[in-house]
Short mmCIF file of all heavy atoms in Angstrom, two decimals:
data_model
loop_
_atom_site.label_atom_id
_atom_site.label_comp_id
_atom_site.label_asym_id
_atom_site.label_seq_id
_atom_site.Cartn_x
_atom_site.Cartn_y
_atom_site.Cartn_z
N VAL A 274 -12.36 -25.64 -20.59
CA VAL A 274 -11.09 -25.69 -19.88
C VAL A 274 -11.21 -26.68 -18.73
O VAL A 274 -12.23 -26.72 -18.04
CB VAL A 274 -10.74 -24.29 -19.33
CG1 VAL A 274 -9.48 -24.35 -18.46
CG2 VAL A 274 -10.54 -23.29 -20.47
N LYS A 275 -10.16 -27.48 -18.55
CA LYS A 275 -10.20 -28.45 -17.46
C LYS A 275 -9.93 -27.73 -16.14
O LYS A 275 -8.89 -27.13 -15.95
CB LYS A 275 -9.13 -29.52 -17.70
CG LYS A 275 -9.59 -30.90 -17.29
CD LYS A 275 -8.59 -31.95 -17.72
CE LYS A 275 -8.23 -32.80 -16.53
NZ LYS A 275 -6.88 -32.81 -16.11
N LEU A 276 -10.90 -27.81 -15.24
CA LEU A 276 -10.74 -27.10 -13.97
C LEU A 276 -10.92 -28.08 -12.82
O LEU A 276 -11.64 -29.06 -12.94
CB LEU A 276 -11.81 -26.01 -13.85
CG LEU A 276 -11.74 -24.86 -14.87
CD1 LEU A 276 -13.00 -24.00 -14.79
CD2 LEU A 276 -10.51 -24.00 -14.62
N GLU A 277 -10.27 -27.77 -11.69
CA GLU A 277 -10.45 -28.61 -10.51
C GLU A 277 -11.68 -28.14 -9.75
O GLU A 277 -11.58 -27.37 -8.79
CB GLU A 277 -9.21 -28.55 -9.64
CG GLU A 277 -8.01 -29.20 -10.29
CD GLU A 277 -6.78 -29.14 -9.40
OE1 GLU A 277 -6.89 -29.51 -8.22
OE2 GLU A 277 -5.73 -28.70 -9.89
N LYS A 278 -12.82 -28.62 -10.19
CA LYS A 278 -14.10 -28.11 -9.67
C LYS A 278 -14.23 -28.25 -8.15
O LYS A 278 -14.75 -27.36 -7.48
CB LYS A 278 -15.27 -28.82 -10.36
CG LYS A 278 -15.41 -28.46 -11.83
CD LYS A 278 -16.20 -27.17 -12.00
CE LYS A 278 -16.35 -26.87 -13.49
NZ LYS A 278 -16.72 -25.51 -13.80
N ASN A 279 -13.76 -29.39 -7.62
CA ASN A 279 -13.92 -29.60 -6.17
C ASN A 279 -13.16 -28.56 -5.37
O ASN A 279 -13.67 -28.01 -4.39
CB ASN A 279 -13.42 -30.99 -5.76
CG ASN A 279 -14.37 -32.06 -6.25
OD1 ASN A 279 -15.52 -31.76 -6.57
ND2 ASN A 279 -13.88 -33.29 -6.33
N GLU A 280 -11.93 -28.31 -5.82
CA GLU A 280 -11.13 -27.31 -5.12
C GLU A 280 -11.73 -25.92 -5.29
O GLU A 280 -11.75 -25.11 -4.36
CB GLU A 280 -9.68 -27.34 -5.63
CG GLU A 280 -8.90 -28.58 -5.22
CD GLU A 280 -8.82 -28.73 -3.70
OE1 GLU A 280 -8.52 -27.73 -3.03
OE2 GLU A 280 -9.08 -29.84 -3.19
N LEU A 281 -12.20 -25.65 -6.50
CA LEU A 281 -12.79 -24.33 -6.76
C LEU A 281 -14.05 -24.12 -5.91
O LEU A 281 -14.34 -23.01 -5.46
CB LEU A 281 -13.11 -24.16 -8.25
CG LEU A 281 -11.90 -23.88 -9.14
CD1 LEU A 281 -12.27 -23.92 -10.61
CD2 LEU A 281 -11.27 -22.52 -8.79
N GLU A 282 -14.75 -25.20 -5.70
CA GLU A 282 -15.94 -25.14 -4.84
C GLU A 282 -15.55 -24.64 -3.44
O GLU A 282 -16.23 -23.81 -2.84
CB GLU A 282 -16.55 -26.54 -4.78
CG GLU A 282 -17.98 -26.62 -4.25
CD GLU A 282 -19.01 -25.97 -5.17
OE1 GLU A 282 -18.99 -26.26 -6.40
OE2 GLU A 282 -19.79 -25.17 -4.66
N LYS A 283 -14.39 -25.12 -2.96
CA LYS A 283 -13.93 -24.68 -1.63
C LYS A 283 -13.54 -23.21 -1.64
O LYS A 283 -13.77 -22.48 -0.67
CB LYS A 283 -12.73 -25.52 -1.18
CG LYS A 283 -13.10 -26.94 -0.82
CD LYS A 283 -11.86 -27.68 -0.32
CE LYS A 283 -12.04 -29.18 -0.53
NZ LYS A 283 -10.76 -29.89 -0.64
N VAL A 284 -12.92 -22.79 -2.75
CA VAL A 284 -12.56 -21.37 -2.88
C VAL A 284 -13.84 -20.54 -2.83
O VAL A 284 -13.92 -19.52 -2.14
CB VAL A 284 -11.82 -21.11 -4.22
CG1 VAL A 284 -11.56 -19.62 -4.41
CG2 VAL A 284 -10.51 -21.90 -4.26
N LYS A 285 -14.85 -21.00 -3.55
CA LYS A 285 -16.12 -20.29 -3.58
C LYS A 285 -16.70 -20.15 -2.16
O LYS A 285 -17.14 -19.08 -1.76
CB LYS A 285 -17.08 -21.08 -4.48
CG LYS A 285 -18.45 -20.50 -4.60
CD LYS A 285 -19.28 -21.33 -5.56
CE LYS A 285 -20.74 -21.26 -5.14
NZ LYS A 285 -21.59 -22.12 -5.96
N GLU A 286 -16.64 -21.26 -1.41
CA GLU A 286 -17.15 -21.22 -0.04
C GLU A 286 -16.40 -20.18 0.79
O GLU A 286 -16.99 -19.42 1.55
CB GLU A 286 -17.02 -22.60 0.63
CG GLU A 286 -18.00 -23.64 0.10
CD GLU A 286 -19.44 -23.13 0.10
OE1 GLU A 286 -19.86 -22.56 1.13
OE2 GLU A 286 -20.13 -23.26 -0.94
N ARG A 287 -15.06 -20.18 0.62
CA ARG A 287 -14.26 -19.22 1.38
C ARG A 287 -14.67 -17.79 1.05
O ARG A 287 -14.76 -16.93 1.92
CB ARG A 287 -12.77 -19.38 1.05
CG ARG A 287 -12.07 -20.43 1.91
CD ARG A 287 -10.65 -20.66 1.40
NE ARG A 287 -9.75 -19.55 1.70
CZ ARG A 287 -8.59 -19.36 1.07
NH1 ARG A 287 -8.20 -20.17 0.10
NH2 ARG A 287 -7.82 -18.33 1.39
N ILE A 288 -14.92 -17.56 -0.24
CA ILE A 288 -15.31 -16.21 -0.65
C ILE A 288 -16.65 -15.84 -0.03
O ILE A 288 -16.82 -14.76 0.54
CB ILE A 288 -15.40 -16.14 -2.20
CG1 ILE A 288 -13.99 -16.18 -2.78
CG2 ILE A 288 -16.14 -14.87 -2.64
CD1 ILE A 288 -13.94 -16.20 -4.29
N LEU A 289 -17.61 -16.77 -0.08
CA LEU A 289 -18.94 -16.45 0.45
C LEU A 289 -18.93 -16.22 1.95
O LEU A 289 -19.79 -15.53 2.50
CB LEU A 289 -19.93 -17.55 0.07
CG LEU A 289 -20.24 -17.61 -1.45
CD1 LEU A 289 -21.12 -18.80 -1.78
CD2 LEU A 289 -20.89 -16.31 -1.93
N GLU A 290 -17.92 -16.81 2.62
CA GLU A 290 -17.85 -16.63 4.07
C GLU A 290 -17.10 -15.37 4.49
O GLU A 290 -17.04 -15.05 5.68
CB GLU A 290 -17.15 -17.83 4.70
CG GLU A 290 -18.07 -19.03 4.86
CD GLU A 290 -17.31 -20.31 5.14
OE1 GLU A 290 -16.12 -20.25 5.54
OE2 GLU A 290 -17.91 -21.38 4.93
N LEU A 291 -16.51 -14.67 3.53
CA LEU A 291 -15.72 -13.48 3.88
C LEU A 291 -16.54 -12.48 4.68
O LEU A 291 -17.70 -12.22 4.35
CB LEU A 291 -15.23 -12.79 2.61
CG LEU A 291 -13.93 -13.28 1.99
CD1 LEU A 291 -13.71 -12.58 0.66
CD2 LEU A 291 -12.77 -12.99 2.93
N GLU A 292 -15.91 -11.93 5.72
CA GLU A 292 -16.66 -10.96 6.52
C GLU A 292 -16.38 -9.53 6.10
O GLU A 292 -17.10 -8.61 6.48
CB GLU A 292 -16.32 -11.14 8.00
CG GLU A 292 -17.09 -12.30 8.59
CD GLU A 292 -16.97 -12.39 10.09
OE1 GLU A 292 -16.56 -11.39 10.71
OE2 GLU A 292 -17.29 -13.46 10.62
N ASP A 293 -15.29 -9.34 5.34
CA ASP A 293 -14.93 -7.96 5.02
C ASP A 293 -15.38 -7.52 3.63
O ASP A 293 -14.89 -6.53 3.12
CB ASP A 293 -13.41 -7.75 5.20
CG ASP A 293 -12.59 -8.54 4.19
OD1 ASP A 293 -13.18 -9.35 3.44
OD2 ASP A 293 -11.36 -8.35 4.15
N SER A 294 -16.28 -8.28 2.99
CA SER A 294 -16.71 -7.90 1.64
C SER A 294 -18.22 -7.73 1.56
O SER A 294 -18.97 -8.34 2.32
CB SER A 294 -16.32 -9.00 0.64
OG SER A 294 -14.97 -9.26 0.71
N GLY A 295 -18.64 -6.93 0.58
CA GLY A 295 -20.06 -6.74 0.35
C GLY A 295 -20.69 -7.98 -0.28
O GLY A 295 -20.00 -8.77 -0.93
N THR A 296 -22.00 -8.16 -0.09
CA THR A 296 -22.69 -9.36 -0.59
C THR A 296 -22.58 -9.49 -2.10
O THR A 296 -22.27 -10.56 -2.62
CB THR A 296 -24.18 -9.29 -0.20
OG1 THR A 296 -24.26 -8.93 1.17
CG2 THR A 296 -24.86 -10.63 -0.42
N GLU A 297 -22.84 -8.38 -2.80
CA GLU A 297 -22.84 -8.44 -4.26
C GLU A 297 -21.46 -8.86 -4.79
O GLU A 297 -21.33 -9.71 -5.66
CB GLU A 297 -23.23 -7.07 -4.80
CG GLU A 297 -23.73 -7.11 -6.22
CD GLU A 297 -24.12 -5.71 -6.68
OE1 GLU A 297 -24.89 -5.04 -5.96
OE2 GLU A 297 -23.64 -5.30 -7.75
N GLU A 298 -20.42 -8.23 -4.19
CA GLU A 298 -19.05 -8.52 -4.58
C GLU A 298 -18.74 -10.01 -4.38
O GLU A 298 -18.13 -10.66 -5.22
CB GLU A 298 -18.16 -7.66 -3.68
CG GLU A 298 -16.69 -7.69 -3.94
CD GLU A 298 -16.00 -6.68 -3.01
OE1 GLU A 298 -16.34 -5.47 -3.05
OE2 GLU A 298 -15.14 -7.10 -2.20
N LYS A 299 -19.21 -10.56 -3.25
CA LYS A 299 -18.93 -11.97 -2.96
C LYS A 299 -19.63 -12.88 -3.95
O LYS A 299 -19.04 -13.82 -4.47
CB LYS A 299 -19.38 -12.30 -1.53
CG LYS A 299 -18.52 -11.64 -0.48
CD LYS A 299 -18.70 -12.25 0.89
CE LYS A 299 -19.98 -11.83 1.55
NZ LYS A 299 -19.98 -12.10 2.99
N GLU A 300 -20.89 -12.57 -4.22
CA GLU A 300 -21.65 -13.44 -5.12
C GLU A 300 -21.10 -13.41 -6.54
O GLU A 300 -20.96 -14.44 -7.19
CB GLU A 300 -23.14 -13.07 -5.09
CG GLU A 300 -23.77 -13.59 -3.80
CD GLU A 300 -25.16 -13.05 -3.54
OE1 GLU A 300 -25.65 -12.24 -4.36
OE2 GLU A 300 -25.75 -13.43 -2.51
N THR A 301 -20.75 -12.20 -6.99
CA THR A 301 -20.19 -12.07 -8.33
C THR A 301 -18.89 -12.86 -8.44
O THR A 301 -18.69 -13.63 -9.39
CB THR A 301 -19.84 -10.59 -8.62
OG1 THR A 301 -20.86 -9.79 -8.09
CG2 THR A 301 -19.68 -10.35 -10.08
N MET A 302 -18.01 -12.65 -7.46
CA MET A 302 -16.71 -13.30 -7.56
C MET A 302 -16.85 -14.82 -7.42
O MET A 302 -16.15 -15.57 -8.09
CB MET A 302 -15.78 -12.75 -6.47
CG MET A 302 -14.34 -13.06 -6.71
SD MET A 302 -13.69 -12.26 -8.19
CE MET A 302 -13.26 -10.67 -7.53
N ALA A 303 -17.76 -15.24 -6.57
CA ALA A 303 -17.94 -16.68 -6.37
C ALA A 303 -18.35 -17.34 -7.69
O ALA A 303 -17.85 -18.42 -8.03
CB ALA A 303 -19.00 -16.93 -5.30
N SER A 304 -19.21 -16.69 -8.46
CA SER A 304 -19.63 -17.31 -9.71
C SER A 304 -18.50 -17.29 -10.73
O SER A 304 -18.33 -18.20 -11.52
CB SER A 304 -20.89 -16.62 -10.25
OG SER A 304 -20.54 -15.40 -10.84
N LEU A 305 -17.69 -16.25 -10.69
CA LEU A 305 -16.56 -16.17 -11.62
C LEU A 305 -15.51 -17.25 -11.35
O LEU A 305 -15.05 -17.91 -12.27
CB LEU A 305 -15.87 -14.81 -11.49
CG LEU A 305 -16.28 -13.68 -12.41
CD1 LEU A 305 -15.41 -12.46 -12.12
CD2 LEU A 305 -16.12 -14.07 -13.87
N VAL A 306 -15.13 -17.41 -10.08
CA VAL A 306 -14.03 -18.34 -9.79
C VAL A 306 -14.39 -19.77 -10.19
O VAL A 306 -13.51 -20.55 -10.57
CB VAL A 306 -13.57 -18.34 -8.31
CG1 VAL A 306 -12.99 -17.00 -7.93
CG2 VAL A 306 -14.66 -18.76 -7.37
N MET A 307 -15.67 -20.11 -10.18
CA MET A 307 -16.07 -21.45 -10.61
C MET A 307 -15.70 -21.67 -12.07
O MET A 307 -15.62 -22.80 -12.54
CB MET A 307 -17.57 -21.68 -10.39
CG MET A 307 -17.98 -21.85 -8.93
SD MET A 307 -16.97 -23.06 -8.04
CE MET A 307 -17.45 -24.59 -8.87
N LYS A 308 -15.50 -20.59 -12.80
CA LYS A 308 -15.09 -20.71 -14.20
C LYS A 308 -13.59 -20.49 -14.37
O LYS A 308 -13.10 -20.29 -15.49
CB LYS A 308 -15.88 -19.72 -15.04
CG LYS A 308 -17.35 -20.10 -15.01
CD LYS A 308 -18.21 -19.08 -15.68
CE LYS A 308 -19.65 -19.59 -15.69
NZ LYS A 308 -20.61 -18.53 -15.82
N GLY A 309 -12.86 -20.47 -13.26
CA GLY A 309 -11.41 -20.38 -13.33
C GLY A 309 -10.86 -18.99 -13.57
O GLY A 309 -9.69 -18.81 -13.88
N VAL A 310 -11.74 -17.97 -13.39
CA VAL A 310 -11.33 -16.60 -13.70
C VAL A 310 -11.66 -15.70 -12.51
O VAL A 310 -12.60 -15.96 -11.76
CB VAL A 310 -12.12 -16.10 -14.93
CG1 VAL A 310 -11.76 -14.66 -15.26
CG2 VAL A 310 -11.86 -16.98 -16.13
N ALA A 311 -10.87 -14.62 -12.33
CA ALA A 311 -11.22 -13.62 -11.31
C ALA A 311 -10.74 -12.26 -11.78
O ALA A 311 -9.90 -12.17 -12.67
CB ALA A 311 -10.56 -13.96 -9.98
N TYR A 312 -11.29 -11.23 -11.18
CA TYR A 312 -10.71 -9.91 -11.40
C TYR A 312 -10.09 -9.44 -10.09
O TYR A 312 -10.36 -10.02 -9.02
CB TYR A 312 -11.73 -8.90 -11.96
CG TYR A 312 -12.94 -8.65 -11.10
CD1 TYR A 312 -12.93 -7.66 -10.13
CD2 TYR A 312 -14.10 -9.40 -11.27
CE1 TYR A 312 -14.04 -7.42 -9.34
CE2 TYR A 312 -15.22 -9.16 -10.48
CZ TYR A 312 -15.18 -8.18 -9.51
OH TYR A 312 -16.27 -7.95 -8.72
N HIS A 313 -9.27 -8.41 -10.17
CA HIS A 313 -8.47 -8.02 -9.00
C HIS A 313 -8.18 -6.53 -9.09
O HIS A 313 -7.61 -6.08 -10.08
CB HIS A 313 -7.17 -8.82 -9.04
CG HIS A 313 -6.28 -8.66 -7.83
ND1 HIS A 313 -5.67 -7.48 -7.51
CD2 HIS A 313 -5.89 -9.55 -6.88
CE1 HIS A 313 -4.94 -7.66 -6.42
NE2 HIS A 313 -5.06 -8.89 -6.01
N HIS A 314 -8.62 -5.76 -8.12
CA HIS A 314 -8.26 -4.34 -8.06
C HIS A 314 -8.43 -3.82 -6.64
O HIS A 314 -8.94 -4.53 -5.77
CB HIS A 314 -9.05 -3.51 -9.08
CG HIS A 314 -10.55 -3.63 -8.95
ND1 HIS A 314 -11.22 -3.23 -7.82
CD2 HIS A 314 -11.49 -4.10 -9.81
CE1 HIS A 314 -12.52 -3.44 -8.00
NE2 HIS A 314 -12.71 -3.98 -9.20
N ALA A 315 -8.03 -2.56 -6.43
CA ALA A 315 -8.00 -2.03 -5.08
C ALA A 315 -9.39 -1.82 -4.48
O ALA A 315 -9.52 -1.59 -3.28
CB ALA A 315 -7.22 -0.72 -5.06
N GLY A 316 -10.45 -1.92 -5.30
CA GLY A 316 -11.80 -1.78 -4.74
C GLY A 316 -12.23 -3.03 -3.98
O GLY A 316 -13.19 -2.99 -3.21
#
Side-chain angles (χ1 to χ4, degrees):
V274 174
K275 217 172 128 241
L276 295 170
E277 292 181 50
K278 291 276 182 198
N279 288 342
E280 289 301 314
L281 284 172
E282 196 67 49
K283 288 183 205 155
V284 175
K285 179 177 149 184
E286 288 309 313
R287 273 173 72 198
I288 288 176
L289 292 175
E290 280 165 18
L291 274 173
E292 281 189 17
D293 67 353
S294 305
T296 313
E297 200 179 309
E298 185 176 302
K299 290 196 284 196
E300 284 168 359
T301 320
M302 196 65 85
S304 76
L305 266 183
V306 296
M307 287 311 292
K308 295 174 176 157
V310 178
Y312 60 89
H313 186 294
H314 56 62

